[in-house]
Amino acid sequence: MTLTEKLIDKEKQVSAHNYSPLPVVMSRANGVWMYDVEGKKYLDMLSAYSAVSHGHCHPRMVKVLHEQSQKLCLSSRAFYTEVLGPFLEKLCSVSKMDQALPMNSGAEAVETAIKGARRWGYQIKRIPENLAEIIVCERNFHGRTSGIISFSSEPSYKKGFGPFMPGFKTIPYSDAKALKEAITPNTCAFLVEPVQGEGGLYVPSLGWLKEVEKICRENRVLLIVDEIQSGLGRTGKWFASNYEDIQPDGMTIGKALGGGVFPISALVGKKELMDVFTPGSHGSTWGGNALAAAVGLEALTILEEEHLIERSAKLGIHLLNRLKGLKSPLIKEVRGIGLWAGVEIDPQKARARTICEMLVKRGVLSKETHETVIRFAPPLVIEQSEIEWGIEQLVWVLENYKPENS
Ligand SMILES: *Cc1c(COP(=O)(O)O)cnc(C)c1O
């Protein structure tokens, strides 16, 4: 047995099987490169689903984590800290929001948004008690809590986990007419991803979000955008919703907010929404802890000072053009925006999972989603030559793919 086999065997014995990892055991990482326990090197084109947008172990992230950890990590929100205010001020400034409520995971930020929207519905819009409705989209991904999976349209996320939470209505993505028709006097919010990542990288038609904003305003419905994966430069703007110049009422942020070193998330919003939270109504022991706040502030500062968002826009065009130019019969469609691309594989001809496994053997990390889409989301610090090298490996795999590999 090799060391890799031994470690995989061990993890399989003691870890619940809620993932099916690619057969490689990681040991360390730096920038866009990861190294397995055998010393083999891989180009990371997944970035932990965009949580490692700054690149692995960014020196400034490691430094702030180290320094803050020696000073103050956790005080609980029973006290003020010197770092939380400056962090949330920066977060509100880049998202153009009034206030923030810090949590840890993305799913917690979404749960916070759901609670806030419902309470706003009862207290401000005067929806009768317990009748508030939230509209969501087909193919959505907002996390894995029992509340959030209640409105997922993916059967594998839900099977065996009922009964589900009521109060959600599902409409097709990128369909303004469906939104208009779904709204009732009891609708408190429309919760939507400006680009659907986990769902398979769907970029909505331009103008749709602007129209959504107008429909929400006219009907007094909150517009809450989930920018956990699409935000913080991934699409080539601070937030994907910036492409439409809209002003949402609430926004969830996570993943890259932790700079690849520590989990941090937040709901940011307009005062009218955030004001519904009163002492005792919501909280989290670790939410907004001093270590997270210092890390989050540095993560935002680095995006700005290292021009990573402009980089994502520029290199993203290159990545997308290169992928769209690939002439492989296995590819059905290429979609994307910024440094975020999905290559849809024709399921009649190949398995996306097998292609990902072959890519790993060639030293490129990516991950299939929904069985047919290969997603590329490299750290924003990637160089054009490294993208080129990754594409070359993909070309090799597409040319050498044999159905018997599956
Ligand atoms: C990843 C993700 C979440 C959930 O975040 P976790 O940190 O995994 O809980 C929610 N919404 C979107 C759009 C995501 O991509």
Side-chain angles (χ1 to χ4, degrees), residues 170-224:
T170 307
I171 61 166
Y173 192 61
S174 199
D175 186 339
K177 189 162 158 276
L179 175 63
K180 217 180 270 179
E181 287 168 2
I183 291 173
T184 74
N186 292 340
T187 307
C188 62
F190 179 46
L191 170 65
V192 65
E193 298 155 86
V195 173
Q196 286 185 326
E198 297 305 302
L201 245 159
Y202 290 95
V203 184
S205 46
L206 201 69
W208 172 63
L209 270 182
K210 191 80 197 159
E211 209 178 336
V212 161
E213 181 191 46
K214 187 166 158 269
I215 294 167
C216 286
R217 293 276 171 281
E218 283 169 2
N219 293 279
R220 253 192 122 210
V221 168
L222 297 175
L223 173 56
I224 299 177

Side-chain angles (χ1 to χ4, degrees), residues 243-287:
Y243 276 97
E244 299 255 2
D245 187 32
I246 58 165
Q247 225 1 286
D249 303 285
M251 181 190 283
T252 50
I253 307 175
K255 291 201 166 104
L257 188 55
V261 298
F262 201 79
I264 314 168
S265 71
L267 168 70
V268 291
K270 295 284 166 198
K271 198 168 179 304
E272 187 177 293
L273 166 61
M274 302 310 282
D275 270 348
V276 305
F277 291 104
T278 48
S281 61
H282 194 54
S284 159
T285 303
W286 279 85

Side-chain angles (χ1 to χ4, degrees), residues 19 49 104-108 110 141-144 148 193 195 197-198 226-230 252 254-255 265 340 375:
Y19 282 90
Y49 312 98
N104 313 286
S105 69
E108 286 175 317
V110 173
F141 183 83
H142 297 289
R144 304 294 205 146
I148 292 169
E193 298 155 86
V195 173
E198 297 305 302
D226 182 346
E227 294 260 19
I228 290 169
Q229 193 162 167
S230 57
T252 50
K255 291 201 166 104
S265 71
W340 204 19
R375 169 212 347 228

Side-chain angles (χ1 to χ4, degrees), residues 102-361:
M103 297 293 281
N104 313 286
S105 69
E108 286 175 317
V110 173
E111 288 284 353
T112 305
I114 293 168
K115 286 173 75 173
R118 284 178 163 182
R119 196 178 248 206
W120 175 88
Y122 301 124
Q123 292 186 351
I124 311 292
K125 193 173 172 177
R126 298 279 169 208
I127 294 170
E129 197 60 30
N130 289 330
L131 291 182
E133 289 168 355
I134 295 176
I135 299 173
V136 298
C137 288
E138 279 165 14
R139 261 188 341 231
N140 72 69
F141 183 83
H142 297 289
R144 304 294 205 146
T145 61
S146 33
I148 292 169
I149 60 160
S150 295
F151 54 87
S152 171
S153 52
E154 175 58 40
S156 64
Y157 296 171
K158 304 181 77 160
K159 191 169 177 288
F161 296 138
F164 299 111
M165 194 202 277
F168 298 94
K169 232 187 212 178
T170 307
I171 61 166
Y173 192 61
S174 199
D175 186 339
K177 189 162 158 276
L179 175 63
K180 217 180 270 179
E181 287 168 2
I183 291 173
T184 74
N186 292 340
T187 307
C188 62
F190 179 46
L191 170 65
V192 65
E193 298 155 86
V195 173
Q196 286 185 326
E198 297 305 302
L201 245 159
Y202 290 95
V203 184
S205 46
L206 201 69
W208 172 63
L209 270 182
K210 191 80 197 159
E211 209 178 336
V212 161
E213 181 191 46
K214 187 166 158 269
I215 294 167
C216 286
R217 293 276 171 281
E218 283 169 2
N219 293 279
R220 253 192 122 210
V221 168
L222 297 175
L223 173 56
I224 299 177
V225 290
D226 182 346
E227 294 260 19
I228 290 169
Q229 193 162 167
S230 57
L232 305 182
R234 179 49 59 188
T235 68
K237 298 238 184 225
W238 267 102
F239 298 97
S241 49
N242 295 154
Y243 276 97
E244 299 255 2
D245 187 32
I246 58 165
Q247 225 1 286
D249 303 285
M251 181 190 283
T252 50
I253 307 175
K255 291 201 166 104
L257 188 55
V261 298
F262 201 79
I264 314 168
S265 71
L267 168 70
V268 291
K270 295 284 166 198
K271 198 168 179 304
E272 187 177 293
L273 166 61
M274 302 310 282
D275 270 348
V276 305
F277 291 104
T278 48
S281 61
H282 194 54
S284 159
T285 303
W286 279 85
N289 66 81
L291 187 54
V295 159
L297 177 58
E298 186 71 350
L300 294 171
T301 310
I302 291 172
L303 285 177
E304 216 161 48
E305 291 182 1
E306 297 192 354
H307 308 290
L308 295 184
I309 298 164
E310 294 84 343
R311 216 184 149 77
S312 171
K314 197 168 134 251
L315 289 177
I317 291 169
H318 177 74
L319 173 68
L320 205 61
N321 281 342
R322 283 293 274 120
L323 290 173
K324 283 192 168 160
L326 297 180
K327 299 270 174 286
S328 167
L330 307 188
I331 297 178
K332 223 165 121 181
E333 193 183 21
V334 174
R335 299 183 289 268
I337 183 166
L339 272 175
W340 204 19
V343 176
E344 176 133 18
I345 299 299
D346 184 343
Q348 308 286 322
K349 300 196 177 113
R351 279 179 68 225
R353 169 83 187 189
T354 310
I355 292 175
C356 289
E357 283 166 3
M358 290 174 74
L359 276 172
V360 169
K361 288 203 183 117

